[in-house]
Amino acid sequence: MQSSKLIEHADAGCERRQQDGTGAESVPSRPYRLVQRSPGRATSVVRVGNVQIGGGRPVIIGGPCSVESEEQLLATAEAVRTAGGEILRGGAFKPRTSPYAFSGLGEEALLLLALARARTGLPVVTEVIEPGDVALVARYADMLQIGSRNMQNYPLLRAVGRQREPVLLKRGLAATIEEWLLAAEYILAEGNDQVVLCERGVRGIDSTLRNQLDLSAVPLLRELTHLPVIVDPSHATGKRSLVQPMSLAAIAAGAAGLIIEVHPAPDQAWSDAAQTVDLHQFAGIVQAVRTVARATAPFYQ
Ligand code: PEP
Ligand code: MN
């Protein structure tokens, strides 16, 4: 609260200096000053457990849309680790478009995520949807996800900014790049600079696919911000067969990683079945991503 107040006051001061034409001092050109990339600054490295995102080697996050059972989660977690995935995802609190849809197992799912971490060594990322749940989710998770529907939930952004766990901030359903960066700025302004951005597609004119994946956001954000950017090809397309091609394209565009929905029996998944790949497909995607990453890494030194 304190730090963001100071920033507002500083903003007002800058505007005044510009207006009365006395501004010999350098005036920050962008409204998101903590997340903006100053010339020559390297991409920030965000640590999730013992995994580094933004360090140059793409990190693949895999797991089910929703945690459904111990059997489902442990089978997925083992397969993610064996394939070379480095972080486990799994929804415990699900923000569903319909109030009648499955909304997650809550704390029971958090316990299962902690069990999967203990079994596999993979750190876990899971979504938090209410400020009042931040402490609970942070007790179990290694990274807190702010979902698309909550990108502009300012009390929630402030709440995750006031604690120390890293944050995965997904792009809002129809958010501009500037709105997204300002949402990240809320988190940094509260003192937490461990933020990873996630491009997951935006609502477009064509409903053939679930969303339109804005891949140009990846290199653009590299210019605008020091925060690492990953891509979610699952929610971006809504279509299983497109997850691998868009994963490869995202890595070629310079993404610092991917988050992919994977399930032992995707057609039986309780949520987002159509976009969920199986364990074998996931392993193939990781292999293919490594090949593309090796080829394109020299362009992103
Ligand atoms: C998710 O990753 O589980 C999710 C709900 O995604 P999004 O917020 O991007 O819709
Ligand atoms: Mn999902």
Side-chain angles (χ1 to χ4, degrees), residues 64-66 89 94 170 210 232 235 261 271-272 275-276:
C65 178
S66 304
R89 65 150 286 148
K94 301 296 299 175
K170 297 191 106 184
R210 187 172 182 181
D232 175 347
H235 291 88
E261 287 186 341
S271 52
D272 286 349
Q275 69 196 33
T276 298

Side-chain angles (χ1 to χ4, degrees), residues 101-120:
F102 171 62
S103 61
L105 296 178
E107 190 166 0
E108 185 186 337
L110 297 177
L111 283 159
L112 292 175
L113 286 165
L115 175 66
R117 175 182 45 215
R119 292 280 174 88
T120 61

Side-chain angles (χ1 to χ4, degrees), residues 37 41-48 50-61 86-87 143 168 194-197 222 225-230 251 254-258 300-301:
R37 190 189 286 264
R41 178 161 181 185
T43 300
S44 294
V45 173
V46 172
R47 286 179 178 73
V48 183
N50 55 1
V51 177
Q52 300 191 353
I53 302 179
R57 204 176 44 81
V59 169
I60 302 184
I61 304 171
E86 294 182 78
I87 301 176
M143 183 181 221
L168 182 62
Q194 295 290 289
V195 175
V196 174
L197 301 173
R222 236 184 138 80
T225 177
H226 58 88
L227 299 177
V229 182
I230 70 166
I251 296 304
L258 298 164
Y300 296 108
Q301 300 290 301

Side-chain angles (χ1 to χ4, degrees), residues 214-239:
D214 180 8
L215 269 190
S216 53
V218 175
L220 176 62
L221 286 165
R222 236 184 138 80
E223 294 177 11
L224 297 178
T225 177
H226 58 88
L227 299 177
V229 182
I230 70 166
V231 169
D232 175 347
S234 308
H235 291 88
T237 62
K239 193 169 163 60

Side-chain angles (χ1 to χ4, degrees), residues 59-62 89 170 198-201 209-215 218 230-251 255 257-262 272 274-277 282 285-286 289:
V59 169
I60 302 184
I61 304 171
R89 65 150 286 148
K170 297 191 106 184
C198 178
E199 163 62 39
R200 47 77 75 204
L209 293 176
R210 187 172 182 181
N211 290 296
Q212 263 85 69
L213 175 53
D214 180 8
L215 269 190
V218 175
I230 70 166
V231 169
D232 175 347
S234 308
H235 291 88
T237 62
K239 193 169 163 60
R240 191 177 298 158
S241 61
L242 300 188
V243 172
Q244 173 161 321
M246 299 324 288
S247 295
L248 302 185
I251 296 304
L258 298 164
I259 180 166
I260 294 173
E261 287 186 341
V262 48
D272 286 349
Q275 69 196 33
T276 298
V277 298
F282 181 81
I285 293 170
V286 176
V289 161

